[in-house]
C-alpha cells in the first residue's frame, strides 16, 4: 500500500520517482529541506520504501544508492522513440518560427514606439513654422535694404577680428622659433616630446590660421572697394 502523499515516506517516494536517477540519502535530504525533513527521517523513509519494494537500492560499501522502480514507467520501444524524435524535431522547427515571428513583432513595436505622437508632431510643426516666419522676416528686411548691423559696430568687429588674427600669426611664429631652438639638438622625438609637454598645435584642435588669414585678406579687399 503506497504511503500518504503528505507523510515523510510519501514525500520521499514522490521525489525519488520524479527524479528517476540514482540518489543517496544526502541528495534527498538536501532537496527536501523545504519540507523541514531531517536527514535521519529521510534515511528512515528511504529504507522503509526499499524494504517494501516501492523503490530499488544497491549498496556500495557503506553507502546505499536509491532509485525509482523502472517497471512503473512506460518505456517506449524503438518505433515510439523514433516517432518522438520526429515530433521533437518538428517542435524545434515550430519554436524557431515562433521566435522569428516574435522578433518581427518586437521590431515593429520598437519602430512604432520611436515614431512621434500626434501631439509631438503638432508641437514640432508649430516650432518649425515659427522659425520659418522669423527667417522670412529677416530675409524681408535684407531685401528692403534695412541695415541689420550698424556701420560703427561692423567696423569694431572687423578691427577686433583683424587684431586677433595678427596676434595669432605673431604668436605662432614666436612659438615656432622657440620650439626649433629647443628641439634642434634634442635626441627626443618631437611628436613624443610635444605630447609629454601637453602641447597642441592648431591642427590638433581643428583650426587653421590660413583660413582666417584668407578671411582677413578678403575683408581688406572689400574695405578698399567700398571706399
Amino acid at each position: 500500500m503506497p504511503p500518504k502523499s503528505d507523510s515523510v515516506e510519501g514525500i520521499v517516494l514522490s521525489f525519488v520517482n520524479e527524479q528517476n536517477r540514482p540518489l543517496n540519502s544526502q541528495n534527498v535530504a538536501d532537496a527536501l529541506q523545504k519540507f523541514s525533513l531531517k536527514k535521519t527521517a529521510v534515511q528512515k523513509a528511504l529504507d522503509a520504501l526499499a524494504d517494501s519494494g516501492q523503490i530499488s537500492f544497491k549498496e556500495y560499501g557503506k553507502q546505499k544508492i536509491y532509485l525509482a522502480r523502472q517497471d512503473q514507467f512506460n518505456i517506449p520501444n524503438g518505433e515510439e522513440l523514433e516517432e518522438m524524435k520526429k515530433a521533437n524535431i518538428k517542435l524545434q522547427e515550430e519554436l524557431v518560427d515562433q521566435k522569428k515571428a516574435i522578433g518581427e513583432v518586437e521590431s515593429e513595436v520598437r519602430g512604432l514606439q520611436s515614431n512621434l505622437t500626434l501631439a509631438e508632431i503638432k508641437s514640432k510643426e508649430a516650432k518649425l513654422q515659427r522659425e520659418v516666419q522669423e527667417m522670412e522676416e529677416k530675409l524681408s528686411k535684407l531685401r528692403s535694404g534695412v541695415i541689420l548691423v550698424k556701420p560703427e559696430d561692423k567696423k569694431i568687429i572687423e578691427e577686433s577680428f583683424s587684431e586677433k588674427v595678427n596676434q595669432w600669426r605673431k604668436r605662432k611664429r614666436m612659438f615656432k622659433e622657440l620650439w626649433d631652438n629647443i628641439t634642434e639638438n634634442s635626441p627626443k622625438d618631437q611628436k613624443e616630446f610635444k605630447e609629454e609637454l601637453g602641447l597642441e598645435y592648431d591642427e590638433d584642435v581643428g583650426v587653421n590660421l590660413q583660413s582666417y588669414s584668407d578671411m582677413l585678406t578678403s575683408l581688406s579687399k572689400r574695405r578698399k572697394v567700398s571706399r
Side-chain angles (χ1 to χ4, degrees), residues 48-78:
L49 291 168
D51 291 342
S52 64
Q54 296 182 73
I55 61 174
S56 303
F57 81 96
K58 286 188 178 182
E59 291 189 66
Y60 295 91
K62 296 181 179 180
Q63 189 176 43
K64 289 183 179 180
I65 299 298
Y66 302 89
L67 181 69
R69 286 186 54 166
Q70 298 303 297
D71 56 4
Q72 66 179 309
F73 300 114
N74 184 20
I75 301 174
N77 56 35

Side-chain angles (χ1 to χ4, degrees), residues 8-9 12 36-47:
V8 177
E9 288 185 17
V12 171
S36 301
L37 299 180
K38 294 183 179 181
K39 185 179 177 181
T40 52
V42 170
Q43 183 69 67
K44 184 177 178 181
L46 286 168
D47 290 337

Side-chain angles (χ1 to χ4, degrees), residues 86-115:
K86 290 179 181 178
N88 182 56
I89 291 172
K90 185 178 179 181
L91 288 172
Q92 290 294 331
E93 291 173 350
E94 290 178 359
L95 179 61
V96 170
D97 292 339
Q98 289 293 328
K99 285 183 177 180
K100 184 179 179 181
I102 291 171
E104 291 174 353
V105 172
E106 289 178 343
S107 177
E108 187 175 348
V109 169
R110 286 194 296 270
L112 291 172
Q113 288 175 340
S114 65
N115 292 335

Side-chain angles (χ1 to χ4, degrees), residues 68-198:
R69 286 186 54 166
Q70 298 303 297
D71 56 4
Q72 66 179 309
F73 300 114
N74 184 20
I75 301 174
N77 56 35
E79 186 177 342
E80 290 173 330
L81 282 173
E82 189 62 30
E83 289 297 323
M84 291 171 67
K85 286 180 181 178
K86 290 179 181 178
N88 182 56
I89 291 172
K90 185 178 179 181
L91 288 172
Q92 290 294 331
E93 291 173 350
E94 290 178 359
L95 179 61
V96 170
D97 292 339
Q98 289 293 328
K99 285 183 177 180
K100 184 179 179 181
I102 291 171
E104 291 174 353
V105 172
E106 289 178 343
S107 177
E108 187 175 348
V109 169
R110 286 194 296 270
L112 291 172
Q113 288 175 340
S114 65
N115 292 335
L116 296 175
T117 63
L118 182 59
E120 290 172 335
I121 290 172
K122 289 183 177 180
S123 175
K124 193 166 186 177
E125 181 186 15
K127 182 182 177 183
L128 289 172
Q129 286 178 345
R130 288 195 301 270
E131 291 177 356
V132 169
Q133 185 177 355
E134 290 173 1
M135 293 174 70
E136 286 179 344
E137 289 174 357
K138 288 182 180 179
L139 182 59
S140 177
K141 288 180 180 180
L142 288 171
R143 285 173 176 169
S144 64
V146 175
I147 299 173
L148 299 180
V149 181
K150 295 179 181 179
E152 54 269 27
D153 292 338
K154 182 181 179 182
K155 183 179 179 182
I156 291 172
I157 294 170
E158 289 177 349
E159 288 177 350
S160 176
F161 175 72
S162 176
E163 181 186 358
K164 297 295 187 296
V165 172
N166 289 329
Q167 285 290 335
W168 185 357
R169 185 184 296 112
K170 180 180 178 181
R171 294 186 182 189
K172 188 177 179 72
R173 184 174 61 252
M174 290 171 61
F175 170 78
K176 187 177 184 309
E177 292 174 355
L178 181 62
W179 181 254
D180 289 344
N181 289 333
I182 292 173
T183 59
E184 183 177 2
N185 298 316
S186 175
K188 287 188 175 182
D189 179 77
Q190 289 195 22
K191 185 178 180 181
E192 293 179 358
F193 191 28
K194 183 190 76 169
E195 292 176 355
E196 184 180 331
L197 295 175

Side-chain angles (χ1 to χ4, degrees), residues 2-15 35:
K4 293 182 179 181
S5 60
D6 58 349
S7 66
V8 177
E9 288 185 17
I11 294 171
V12 171
L13 177 60
S14 176
F15 176 75
F35 294 101

